[in-house]
Amino acid sequence: MPWDRGDANPLLVEWITGRGHGPGRAVVVGCGFGRDAEYLAGLGYDTVAFDISETAVRDAGARHPESTVDYRTGDLLNLAPELAGAFDFVLESHTVQSLPPALHAAATAGVRALVAPGGTLLVLAAAGNPGAPPWPLTREEIDAFADDGLIEVRIEQPPGVADPSAVRWRAEFRRS
């Protein structure tokens, strides 16, 4: 799969290094085959990871048979009630932008709903080449994560990891 990486997203690893982490509850939105979820679990987070694809969730479990991650099939646009406000750390990595632009606002609201009081949201997304899937997020769409009690901590465009010309968003938000 073109979106499957061998390791955790380098922008996540770089961000979390030196910041301190866990213990706490983490969730990975659109977990795919579980690389980021496994990374967070390895740092000591009690980790839930969900994806709308039953195949991805099944394969994530098969790829990581000794995992402590709670892999689930789930829909960001129709969250299970027990997930709302339940996580100290939320990772949204390229999931909102994989949806048609008409769904971005609803998906962003779903992501925001996961963050517990005092929790942190990290958004990783592409920022260029509009018009085709995945649909890159605009600055306004990144700013929209700062709502419903979430405040912007930092929004940056770090250089592309694999492709130095690639433009990316890395945005951190915190719920007061």
Side-chain angles (χ1 to χ4, degrees):
M1 295 292 184
W3 44 264
D4 184 36
R5 299 176 307 273
D7 295 311
N9 188 313
L11 293 176
L12 166 64
V13 174
E14 179 185 297
W15 179 85
I16 212 164
T17 300
R19 278 189 162 69
H21 49 78
R25 291 194 76 208
V27 64
V28 177
V29 178
C31 65
F33 294 138
R35 306 290 191 212
D36 295 333
E38 293 299 324
Y39 174 73
L40 292 172
L43 295 176
Y45 284 99
D46 176 12
T47 306
V48 172
F50 70 90
D51 200 295
I52 198 163
S53 168
E54 292 178 13
T55 302
V57 171
R58 183 188 66 238
D59 288 353
R63 287 178 183 219
H64 309 285
E66 304 298 319
S67 179
T68 61
V69 175
D70 177 3
Y71 287 106
R72 304 176 181 193
T73 301
D75 182 351
L76 181 58
L77 301 177
N78 188 22
L79 287 175
E82 70 271 10
L83 300 180
F87 299 97
D88 304 300
F89 181 72
V90 176
L91 176 63
E92 196 305 270
S93 179
H94 300 91
T95 301
V96 171
Q97 75 179 65
S98 70
L99 300 169
L103 298 176
H104 286 186
T108 297
V111 170
R112 287 192 311 259
L114 296 164
V115 185
T120 298
L121 164 62
L122 181 65
V123 177
L124 304 176
N129 302 321
W135 293 274
L137 300 184
T138 65
R139 175 60 192 243
E140 292 76 23
E141 289 175 309
I142 293 294
D143 289 342
F145 285 96
D147 198 357
D148 298 331
L150 284 171
I151 58 169
E152 174 188 327
V153 174
R154 182 175 182 177
I155 297 175
E156 60 184 343
Q157 290 185 313
V161 176
D163 176 3
S165 68
V167 179
R168 305 267 183 242
W169 293 114
R170 179 168 50 196
E172 177 183 355
F173 304 89
R174 183 143 317 167
R175 186 175 303 283
S176 54

